[in-house]
Amino acid sequence: MTAIIASAILSVSAISNNTWFSEWKKPYGIPPFSSLKISQYTQAVKIASDLKQERIRKIVENKEAPTFENTIVPYIFADEELARIKRIFGILLSLERNAELEKASVETVPILSADTAMTISNKRLYKKIESVWNADQSKLSEEEKTILKRTYDSFRRSGVGLSDAEREIMRAIDEKTKILSLKISKNILASNNAFKKEFGVDVSDYYDAIAKTGDRTKREAMFKAYTSRCFNRGEGGNTDNIVEMTKLRIQRAKLLGYATPADF
């Protein structure tokens, strides 16, 4: 008990001294970008994740019958701080990439991954959400029904309701999909680089370059090279990779009870 109290006091102290939890006093709720300390971002993410998981623990341990009000509503707001902090950091990262921001981004990957894994694999939480989903929804508003459906679907699609054997199959599918995704990205990058080497133009500048090219033969060559990037089988091509990924997506969808990936 003493350790828990000490931890709680430490969290309160850390929050009060962390600029990412500071009160927004600017007009229109604009974040105080200039006063945010990037060096405190990782700590802020960890604290916000702990707050979220503590709220989820309270939902799970609630002895009352699951309802929209005591399960879905607190779950939706459980990551209020974490979502806000991530959103602000994302804006900063998109506007100004530098070594400090990149370092903070990398440092928080395992924290955020663990947070997502803990949440989406929480079977007790899923059972409560499933109970609300299966209950009478006639008194819920359309907005509440939409929130409930999205929440239930996100857990169902994660595979938390599958048996251990089925989850192993899904893990294998997901692992193969990740590998294929990396192969596809690698092939696209190699193809883009080859295009630039041949024509001296970045793929992103293709439309502007071809419009300015007066040589008809060169335009035709550029067009064929651009539109056929990775569009082949075998080494360097993505046709086989995409076909295999499609098969895996169909297998995953059926494992989760859907007819096709489009029914997700």
Side-chain angles (χ1 to χ4, degrees), residues 89-106:
F89 184 81
I91 294 172
L92 286 172
L93 194 61
S94 65
L95 294 175
E96 180 186 1
R97 282 186 174 271
N98 56 49
E100 188 178 25
L101 284 167
E102 292 287 356
K103 181 175 179 289
S105 178
V106 172

Side-chain angles (χ1 to χ4, degrees), residues 23-33 84 87-88 91:
E23 184 180 353
W24 296 3
K25 297 181 179 180
K26 288 183 175 291
Y28 310 109
I30 298 174
F33 291 110
R84 184 182 69 164
R87 186 164 57 248
I88 300 170
I91 294 172

Side-chain angles (χ1 to χ4, degrees), residues 130-149:
E130 185 181 42
S131 179
V132 178
W133 172 257
N134 291 328
D136 179 18
Q137 299 182 23
S138 61
K139 293 183 179 180
L140 298 180
S141 67
E142 290 304 313
E143 291 80 4
E144 290 171 337
K145 289 178 182 178
T146 298
I147 292 172
L148 174 57
K149 184 179 188 307

Side-chain angles (χ1 to χ4, degrees), residues 169-193:
I169 294 173
M170 194 173 79
R171 286 194 190 97
I173 292 173
D174 290 344
E175 187 62 31
K176 290 178 182 177
T177 300
K178 288 178 183 177
I179 293 172
L180 284 171
S181 181
L182 289 173
K183 286 183 178 179
I184 290 171
S185 297
K186 181 181 177 181
N187 289 341
I188 290 174
L189 179 60
S191 182
N192 289 347
N193 289 338

Side-chain angles (χ1 to χ4, degrees), residues 38-172:
I38 306 304
S39 60
Q40 294 181 330
Y41 176 67
T42 300
Q43 181 196 46
V45 170
K46 181 65 172 67
I47 293 171
S49 174
D50 289 343
L51 288 172
K52 173 186 172 182
Q53 294 303 323
E54 175 59 21
R55 289 164 185 158
I56 289 176
R57 184 189 65 78
K58 289 180 179 179
I59 295 171
V60 169
E61 293 183 357
N62 188 346
K63 302 300 183 182
E64 298 177 359
T67 64
F68 186 88
E69 289 73 20
N70 68 19
T71 300
I72 306 302
V73 172
Y75 170 71
I76 293 299
F77 288 102
D79 70 340
E80 184 175 4
E81 294 87 357
L82 184 59
R84 184 182 69 164
I85 291 169
K86 286 168 55 183
R87 186 164 57 248
I88 300 170
F89 184 81
I91 294 172
L92 286 172
L93 194 61
S94 65
L95 294 175
E96 180 186 1
R97 282 186 174 271
N98 56 49
E100 188 178 25
L101 284 167
E102 292 287 356
K103 181 175 179 289
S105 178
V106 172
E107 284 180 346
T108 55
V109 168
I111 300 173
L112 293 171
S113 296
D115 177 83
T116 299
M118 277 192 295
T119 302
I120 213 70
S121 63
N122 191 323
K123 289 192 174 186
R124 293 176 65 192
L125 177 61
Y126 171 66
K127 288 298 181 183
K128 282 182 171 286
I129 293 172
E130 185 181 42
S131 179
V132 178
W133 172 257
N134 291 328
D136 179 18
Q137 299 182 23
S138 61
K139 293 183 179 180
L140 298 180
S141 67
E142 290 304 313
E143 291 80 4
E144 290 171 337
K145 289 178 182 178
T146 298
I147 292 172
L148 174 57
K149 184 179 188 307
R150 289 180 178 177
T151 303
Y152 173 71
D153 284 346
S154 68
F155 274 84
R156 182 187 174 192
R157 291 167 185 167
S158 75
V160 66
L162 299 176
S163 66
D164 291 341
E166 289 172 328
R167 285 179 64 81
E168 282 301 316
I169 294 173
M170 194 173 79
R171 286 194 190 97

